[in-house]
Amino acid sequence: MIAMTQISTGLSADQLQQINSFWRACNYLAAGMIYLRANPLLQQPLIPEHIKERLLGHWGTSPGLSFIWTHLSRVVARDDLNAIFLAGPGHGAPGVLAPCWLEGRYGEIYRDKGQSIQGMQRFFTEFSFPGGIGSHCTPELPGSIHEGGELGYSLSHAFGAAFDNPDLLVTVVVGDGESETGPLATAWHSNKFLNPARDGAVLPVLHLNGYKINNPTVLSRIPETELLNLFQGYGWRPVLVEGDDPNLMHQRMAAVMDECVALIRHIQTSARTGKTTERPCWPMIILRSPKGWTGPAEVDGHVIAGTWRAHQVPLTSVRENAAHLQQLASWLLSYAPATLFEPDGRPRQEIISWLPKGERRLSANPHANGGQLRIPLQLPNWTDYAVDPIQEGHTLEGNTEPLGGLLRDVIRMNPSNFRLFGPDETASNKLQATFSEGKVWMSETLATDEDGGALSPIGRVMEYLSEHTLEGWLEGYLLTGRHGLLSTYEAFSHVIDSMFNQHAKWLDIADKVHWRTPISSLNLLITSTVWRQDHNGFSHQDPGFLDVVVNKSPKVTRIYLPPDANCLLAVTDHCLRSTNYINVIVADKQKHLQYLDAQAAALHCARGLGIWRWASNDESSEPDLVMAACGDVPTQESLAATHMLRTYFPALKIRFINVVDLFRLQPNSEHPHGLSDADFDSLFTRDKPIIFNFHGYPWLIHRLTYRRANHSNLHVRGYKEKGNIDTPLELAIRNEIDRFSLVIDAINRVPKLNVIGAAIKQMMRDRQATCRAYAFEHGVDLPEEADWRWSEVVSTSQHTT
């Protein structure tokens, strides 16, 4: 396949004319979007008033994108293929908007921008214009599930779309600038996880137009042999399409596209009929075409076409420079728009008659509006996996292990509609029960592999040590109508910060797009958390992903910190049923104290926060102190502190509050889950000291509550970037979230304890010193503290406060 050297003449003269005319129409529309706000078909001489005052957009990659769209459409129409198109290059929307408009889909959705002279003018005007559409493939663009400009994610999105979609062909254009990113480099290995017997196919087109913004690209400058060897090494069968003559390039691309589609069909048929079980070598196309192809060759003595100068707007002074205005007119007229469009703005029938029809149009495929295809999950009753019986604050169990059983059965009940994603940490995160359903693996297996779980070409657990690729797979899977969950270590959730940001923005905009149907929520289980790192040390201590999440739209973001296993099960069940959110669940994988039975956990999680009456002693009275906690370890330390305070100061009235839903702390004017001021004041009081023990960085709680009436009395403890190879209690002491620090905080902030509590404060500091010394000598925490359990409070003090 790589050795193809002859240019095919497979397109007839009529087909070639149709293909080239359609592509010319795309290029005319793409240029028109960037420049024109009036006179869209140049039916009058071009004057400055016809030109936009701000020229925004990216011309350079657009002709290549529409070229690929055109040739994909030809085989879709011929073979009745089910296909979608993903545009990876940044800001290439004109090259995708144009064929979308020509297919008629754009006008079906946006009636005022349909196929008429008035519709074309509005279509041009609103591109990169206030109140209009962006210069990359935003959610407003029909047929898109990937916003061009998310550099590095297009290929992983494509594979996510193809998983469990056996009839779908996903053609994804990878920009040569994009190809230099780490996420894109790891995504090439996705071909090792695609099962031709049950998944769809991904046809990548690496578009080498030579330049980024103003620098050459690496892959465009390496020798051809090295380029082909690179992708052969990745396990692909690359074919090169290269040139600048449109007629020759159309013939070459048509032949290569035909061969790639035929090879994909052969691979799938062989696998589905049992003729082969080997991992296939999928085809890919390397398209080398000039940047700014068919645009101005030279401007003001500078070469434009094929150089970095074609990247954005080739002619920049059109309203002020008469020569540039004339050159723009000549450029636009070179496409002969009068031969492509009727005088009333409609595309001539011979230009579009060959296109796919209905939902086979690339802009109308329902997989690109995945909510239309979404089927709600079949879910087991989560209470069947609950830890039972529970002795409040005394039972010790792993929090995530019961969740593994739940997820295993979710997979079983939804064998083609749900996948679990994660790095090589699924077992580490105690979700290994899911391995009974197999880990996806299409390569060689060895007998020794089974110790790590069952590798299987039909597995449902996706393990790959690239958080970028996993997140991209999951996003593509969700955007095309399915369900999933990704688990990862807390410290490394930052790897996907930018991907989270982009998906959150996509969901926020998609919610405002009337024709977009809600998709399944993106569920992130953040585990192996900051407070239980032991040998991993300082590098693995970072709870800051939550701060990133809080920055995004409150319509989209949800954060849950369940304190125990049953709350984790209840929260996960809720999240798996939801749509159009990003649900971030923080739960450590180690054994922790358990607090609530299934019924109590369901009620507590539904409320999002609440008073734990069994840990409080302010019944029917006003508390002297509010002890609040959010997160599993902070909850344990707060309970231990509460127990000591009640022991030493039995008359002290303490209200214990646990927070599961972090956004309940915000006012309801700021977040849909927020508490009203009245409810917040009832819980936290308007004037009593609050000692809040938090899983993450303490300033996040202040940020969420700064408008509350009692904020001045809110004292927050959390991670303060102090730690290394610590025992759990030692790490808590270093960051002052430990039980002893909390007791000291309470004595300092409850006025009537300031003097009488002096001896207790000294005792707490001495205890901290003893615990740290023991840890440094023995490498473990002092057993009597490590084995602490909640018990009935028995006073050992004469203090009556």
Side-chain angles (χ1 to χ4, degrees):
M1 185 168 181
I2 296 170
M4 288 179 60
T5 56
Q6 294 184 348
I7 295 173
S8 169
T9 56
L11 293 177
S12 68
D14 287 344
Q15 288 175 320
L16 178 60
Q17 182 177 358
Q18 284 180 325
I19 291 287
N20 192 52
S21 295
F22 181 82
W23 183 52
R24 282 169 38 226
C26 288
N27 291 337
Y28 178 83
L29 292 173
M33 281 179 241
I34 295 172
Y35 286 97
L36 300 180
R37 64 176 302 173
N39 192 17
L41 281 178
L42 273 62
Q43 292 167 330
Q44 307 163 28
L46 199 60
I47 60 175
E49 287 72 20
H50 297 153
I51 308 300
K52 294 179 179 180
E53 294 193 38
R54 297 178 71 217
L55 300 179
L56 301 171
H58 287 64
W59 164 251
T61 191
S62 294
L65 284 168
S66 58
F67 181 83
I68 298 162
W69 180 296
T70 301
H71 282 273
L72 178 60
S73 292
R74 182 186 66 84
V75 294
V76 167
R78 184 194 65 192
D79 299 339
D80 192 32
L81 297 180
N82 186 10
I84 61 175
F85 178 95
L86 273 64
H91 301 280
V96 182
L97 282 161
C100 178
W101 190 87
L102 289 169
E103 286 183 345
R105 180 60 174 163
Y106 206 84
E108 291 170 5
I109 292 176
Y110 305 107
R111 300 282 183 174
D112 62 332
K113 290 178 276 294
Q115 293 180 343
S116 67
I117 196 73
Q118 297 84 5
M120 185 187 292
Q121 180 168 324
R122 280 189 286 268
F123 180 58
F124 284 179
T125 299
E126 292 193 8
F127 175 76
S128 283
F129 202 81
I133 54 176
S135 64
H136 32 92
C137 299
T138 64
E140 294 94 338
L141 174 55
S144 175
I145 67 166
H146 174 84
E147 184 153 347
E150 297 181 70
L151 291 180
Y153 315 142
S154 60
L155 190 57
S156 56
H157 281 167
F159 275 91
F163 292 139
D164 295 320
N165 262 332
D167 298 325
L168 187 66
L169 172 64
V170 185
T171 295
V172 52
V173 184
V174 177
D176 51 355
E178 180 187 23
S179 70
E180 296 178 8
T181 65
L184 202 288
T186 63
W188 289 115
H189 288 298
S190 300
N191 56 4
K192 284 80 171 177
F193 296 85
L194 194 72
N195 186 340
R198 61 187 300 173
D199 297 328
V202 175
L203 178 59
V205 181
L206 175 63
H207 185 205
L208 300 180
N209 59 32
Y211 289 91
K212 303 184 281 282
I213 294 176
N214 58 11
N215 276 307
T217 55
V218 171
L219 293 186
S220 70
R221 295 294 178 91
I222 64 176
E224 181 178 316
T225 301
E226 184 179 344
L227 179 67
L228 297 175
N229 286 343
L230 172 67
F231 288 99
Q232 285 180 292
Y234 275 130
W236 294 91
R237 296 185 65 179
V239 190
L240 185 63
V241 177
E242 181 176 13
D244 59 3
D245 182 290
N247 288 336
L248 295 179
M249 287 289 281
H250 283 307
Q251 293 286 10
R252 173 69 168 162
M253 189 66 173
V256 167
M257 188 69 76
D258 287 347
E259 184 170 352
C260 289
V261 170
L263 179 57
I264 288 169
R265 281 180 162 173
H266 173 73
I267 289 170
Q268 292 177 330
T269 300
S270 296
R272 294 171 188 181
T273 57
K275 292 180 180 178
T276 180
T277 58
E278 296 178 355
R279 175 171 65 85
C281 189
W282 297 94
M284 65 167 291
I285 299 170
I286 300 175
L287 173 65
R288 196 191 297 272
S289 65
K291 197 173 188 77
W293 196 9
T294 74
E298 186 176 295
V299 176
D300 295 337
H302 297 292
V303 177
I304 301 296
T307 77
W308 60 270
R309 291 186 176 90
H311 181 73
Q312 295 186 15
V313 180
L315 293 157
T316 58
S317 305
V318 182
R319 288 175 64 92
E320 302 82 14
N321 187 316
H324 283 193
L325 181 66
Q326 182 55 49
Q327 192 170 5
L328 173 62
S330 298
W331 171 20
L332 293 174
L333 289 170
S334 72
Y335 298 116
T339 68
L340 305 174
F341 303 95
E342 301 288 355
D344 63 3
R346 290 179 295 114
R348 292 190 179 274
Q349 192 59 32
E350 61 269 24
I351 304 301
I352 59 173
S353 60
W354 60 275
L355 290 171
K357 303 298 187 290
E359 290 186 346
R360 288 304 198 221
R361 292 172 295 173
L362 297 178
S363 58
N365 192 298
H367 288 88
N369 187 11
Q372 291 184 337
L373 304 177
R374 178 182 180 271
I375 300 172
L377 285 174
Q378 297 294 314
L379 292 173
N381 187 336
W382 69 264
T383 61
D384 293 342
Y385 308 84
V387 177
D388 183 56
I390 288 290
Q391 184 178 351
E392 294 160 338
H394 201 275
T395 305
L396 187 68
E397 294 287 348
N399 283 353
T400 56
E401 196 159 354
L403 178 62
L406 173 69
L407 294 174
R408 174 201 61 215
D409 292 342
V410 172
I411 292 171
R412 289 175 177 173
M413 296 173 71
N414 303 272
S416 61
N417 200 26
F418 179 89
R419 294 199 184 203
L420 176 65
F421 300 80
D424 185 25
E425 298 160 357
T426 306
S428 173
N429 290 333
K430 305 298 189 289
L431 303 175
Q432 66 272 15
T434 59
F435 288 167
S436 64
E437 308 313 299
K439 295 189 290 187
V440 176
W441 190 255
M442 294 296 298
S443 298
E444 179 187 10
T445 60
L446 303 174
T448 52
D449 294 337
E450 293 306 308
D451 290 341
L455 300 176
S456 169
I458 59 170
R460 308 301 298 165
V461 179
M462 310 292 293
E463 285 200 331
Y464 181 44
L465 201 54
S466 166
E467 287 87 349
H468 284 123
T469 302
L470 292 164
E471 174 73 10
W473 287 348
L474 176 55
E475 289 177 4
Y477 200 65
L478 300 175
L479 286 160
T480 48
R482 280 75 60 75
H483 309 255
L485 180 145
L486 188 154
S487 70
T488 188
Y489 286 1
E490 182 174 52
F492 303 121
S493 55
H494 279 300
V495 172
I496 59 167
D497 276 0
S498 62
M499 298 186 76
F500 158 80
N501 283 334
Q502 292 296 333
H503 192 70
K505 289 176 181 291
W506 177 281
L507 291 176
D508 188 29
I509 296 299
D511 187 58
K512 302 180 181 77
V513 176
H514 68 277
W515 53 269
R516 287 273 179 192
T517 309
I519 62 171
S520 301
S521 296
L522 194 156
N523 301 305
L524 298 174
L525 175 63
I526 307 300
T527 185
S528 189
T529 58
V530 56
W531 301 111
R532 289 289 187 268
Q533 284 311 316
D534 301 333
H535 65 281
N536 287 321
F538 193 49
S539 65
H540 284 51
Q541 296 166 7
D542 188 341
F545 186 68
L546 300 184
D547 298 72
V548 177
V549 176
V550 171
N551 290 334
K552 296 299 121 185
S553 169
K555 290 193 308 182
V556 171
T557 50
R558 305 289 184 266
I559 298 174
Y560 302 98
L561 293 100
D564 64 4
N566 290 342
C567 288
L568 174 58
L569 290 167
V571 162
T572 303
D573 178 81
H574 168 76
C575 293
L576 291 177
R577 298 176 189 274
S578 67
T579 59
N580 269 20
Y581 298 145
I582 298 179
N583 297 308
V584 179
I585 308 169
V586 182
D588 188 56
K589 64 185 181 181
Q590 305 294 354
K591 288 185 179 296
H592 288 272
L593 294 180
Q594 304 299 307
Y595 308 110
L596 305 178
D597 62 24
Q599 182 179 7
L603 289 171
H604 184 51
C605 293
R607 288 191 299 259
L609 83 174
I611 300 169
W612 284 2
R613 296 174 63 185
W614 54 269
S616 307
N617 67 340
D618 67 324
E619 190 76 22
S620 302
S621 63
E622 194 171 9
D624 300 309
L625 172 69
V626 176
M627 294 289 286
C630 183
D632 37 36
V633 170
T635 295
Q636 174 181 300
E637 294 304 307
S638 290
L639 283 170
T642 298
H643 193 281
M644 284 191 284
L645 286 166
R646 288 180 56 186
T647 299
Y648 297 130
F649 308 104
L652 182 70
K653 299 298 183 183
I654 300 177
R655 176 177 296 174
F656 190 92
I657 296 176
N658 179 264
V659 178
V660 178
D661 182 345
L662 189 63
F663 284 116
R664 295 292 274 166
L665 299 177
Q666 274 196 303
N668 55 2
S669 60
E670 301 299 317
H671 195 283
H673 285 198
L675 283 179
S676 68
D677 285 336
D679 286 342
F680 189 92
D681 292 346
S682 292
L683 280 169
F684 290 94
T685 78
R686 292 181 64 88
D687 58 359
K688 297 298 185 290
I690 306 165
I691 309 297
F692 197 114
N693 213 22
F694 180 48
H695 171 86
Y697 292 107
W699 41 85
L700 181 56
I701 300 301
H702 286 293
R703 174 181 170 185
L704 296 174
T705 60
Y706 78 98
R707 293 175 57 186
R708 298 298 191 178
N710 199 24
H711 182 255
S712 61
N713 285 317
L714 175 64
H715 178 65
V716 185
R717 290 296 186 183
Y719 184 65
K720 299 198 297 184
E721 206 67 19
K722 294 181 179 180
N724 211 314
I725 311 301
D726 301 297
T727 63
L729 183 54
E730 184 206 355
L731 181 62
I733 292 171
R734 293 183 69 171
N735 289 276
E736 299 180 286
I737 73 151
D738 63 291
R739 58 200 70 175
F740 313 115
S741 294
L742 299 178
V743 169
I744 294 170
D745 286 340
I747 293 171
N748 288 339
R749 284 165 175 77
V750 177
K752 60 186 176 181
L753 299 184
N754 288 168
V755 176
I756 66 172
I760 303 300
K761 285 171 60 175
Q762 181 174 302
M763 182 190 306
M764 296 297 103
R765 293 191 178 107
D766 290 346
R767 195 62 173 166
Q768 287 176 324
T770 300
C771 289
R772 297 196 68 183
Y774 188 93
F776 274 88
E777 181 179 354
H778 298 279
V780 295
D781 283 322
L782 191 67
E784 60 197 84
E785 299 296 349
D787 297 337
W788 177 87
R789 303 290 187 271
W790 181 269
S791 60
E792 183 180 352
V793 178
V794 179
S795 173
T796 62
S797 174
Q798 299 301 311
H799 294 306
T800 61
T801 65

